[in-house]
Amino acid sequence: MTSVISTPEIPLPPTQDELPCDDGIPMETQRHKLQMDLLLDTLQFWLDQREHGYIGGNMFIYFSTEQARNQDFRGPDFFAVLGVPKTERKSWVVWEEGKAPNVVIELLSESTKQEDKTRKKQVYQNQMRVPEYFWYDPFNPEDWAGFALEKSEYQPLEKDEKQRYISEQLGLALVQWQGSYKGVETVWLRWETLEGELLPTERELREQAETKAQQAETKAQQAETKAEKLANKLKELGINPDEV
């Protein structure tokens, strides 16, 4: 008689549908929320021109089952991932997606800056292997730094001649911009092309489209006025404009 040896089933890691996606903790301030929105708002236009990619903000990232069991939540203020499908996520689960983010940005506050500069930085470097990490304090623009992963360790990035940090991963620059966003005037962190053109917000895109439409209408009116003047001149000379 042949005996059947049963092997224990190895439990599968949890999916994003089974993992918590909300810890009930709100953002620090209105400005922090707006700064996160601005980074996402402007990069969405850039992402729309590409076939693949994902951006998220204040969303949990799970990088190990141990972290999930310990409920050691990690929710960067901003992250971008290249080469992945454009589908909705409840959270970013590294073992489901097959990769960690390419870029992470944390927005500093009095209650989080120590952890953002130490423990979180170590997690992004050693456990998630995020190629580029930046931090920025919306209330203190001088507290701004960038790091790139080289030989398993973060090395500080140097600003370029325009005082920008270059993201080699995205092929874009991070720049400080003085202006108003959703009614708040301050120094904001924004995305810019390497050529120096700011990536527009949704509102700026609408305004640009309206300006172009108005310019086209003005050109059409000028052309019509010019044609009328020419027709009148021909009539004065006894020439039928329709025969010209």
Side-chain angles (χ1 to χ4, degrees):
M1 181 177 178
T2 303
S3 60
V4 179
I5 300 175
S6 61
T7 56
E9 291 187 4
I10 300 175
L12 296 174
T15 67
Q16 62 174 295
D17 290 325
E18 299 166 329
L19 291 164
C21 58
D22 182 12
D23 60 3
I25 299 176
M27 293 292 291
E28 292 281 341
T29 66
Q30 177 189 5
R31 189 176 299 184
H32 281 80
K33 175 65 167 58
L34 290 177
Q35 176 63 87
M36 183 184 72
D37 289 347
L38 180 57
L39 289 167
L40 292 168
D41 187 6
T42 51
L43 201 62
Q44 186 62 53
F45 170 73
W46 176 87
L47 185 63
D48 289 343
Q49 318 305 312
R50 284 151 180 78
E51 186 177 355
H52 302 291
Y54 185 80
I55 56 176
N58 203 30
M59 176 190 293
F60 287 162
I61 293 181
Y62 291 96
F63 55 87
S64 74
T65 53
E66 180 183 1
Q67 171 219 4
R69 283 195 302 271
N70 295 337
Q71 295 189 349
D72 183 15
F73 301 130
R74 285 288 173 269
D77 294 307
F78 169 91
F79 67 93
V81 197
L82 302 175
V84 294
K86 292 181 177 180
T87 58
E88 181 186 12
R89 276 91 170 175
K90 293 180 179 177
S91 55
W92 190 266
V93 183
V94 171
W95 57 82
E96 279 192 316
E97 304 287 352
K99 66 178 300 185
N102 293 78
V103 178
V104 164
I105 300 175
E106 291 287 6
L107 303 176
L108 307 180
S109 68
E110 286 301 318
S111 61
T112 68
K113 66 181 180 182
Q114 186 61 31
E115 180 163 339
D116 290 336
K117 293 180 177 183
T118 55
R119 187 163 175 249
K120 278 191 177 181
K121 183 184 173 189
Q122 290 299 309
V123 169
Y124 297 141
Q125 172 186 277
N126 299 330
Q127 294 168 273
M128 293 175 60
R129 314 299 296 159
V130 176
E132 291 177 347
Y133 175 50
F134 301 89
W135 70 56
Y136 182 69
D137 186 340
F139 287 95
N140 180 16
E142 292 184 5
D143 199 350
W144 179 32
F147 304 87
L149 200 61
E150 294 180 15
K151 296 181 180 179
S152 301
E153 290 188 359
Y154 276 141
Q155 300 300 325
L157 292 173
E158 297 291 335
K159 295 175 187 162
D160 70 0
E161 67 280 359
K162 297 179 181 178
Q163 295 302 300
R164 310 177 301 175
Y165 281 120
I166 304 300
S167 169
E168 298 288 349
Q169 292 289 308
L170 302 183
L172 295 170
L174 277 169
V175 62
Q176 290 184 347
W177 172 76
Q178 175 76 48
S180 178
Y181 180 66
K182 294 187 177 180
V184 177
E185 175 79 25
T186 190
V187 177
W188 300 102
L189 194 63
R190 288 189 63 163
W191 295 105
E192 186 176 80
T193 66
L194 299 183
E195 295 72 31
E197 183 178 349
L198 286 172
L199 298 192
T201 64
E202 185 178 351
R203 178 177 178 177
E204 288 167 347
L205 280 172
R206 288 198 306 268
E207 290 173 348
Q208 289 173 10
E210 289 170 1
T211 299
K212 285 183 179 179
Q214 289 171 357
Q215 289 173 344
E217 185 178 353
T218 299
K219 270 191 173 181
Q221 289 174 349
Q222 290 172 345
E224 185 178 349
T225 300
K226 187 175 180 180
E228 287 177 357
K229 287 181 178 180
L230 178 60
N232 291 334
K233 187 68 174 177
L234 291 172
K235 286 178 182 178
E236 289 175 5
L237 297 172
I239 302 172
N240 186 351
D242 295 332
E243 297 177 355
V244 176

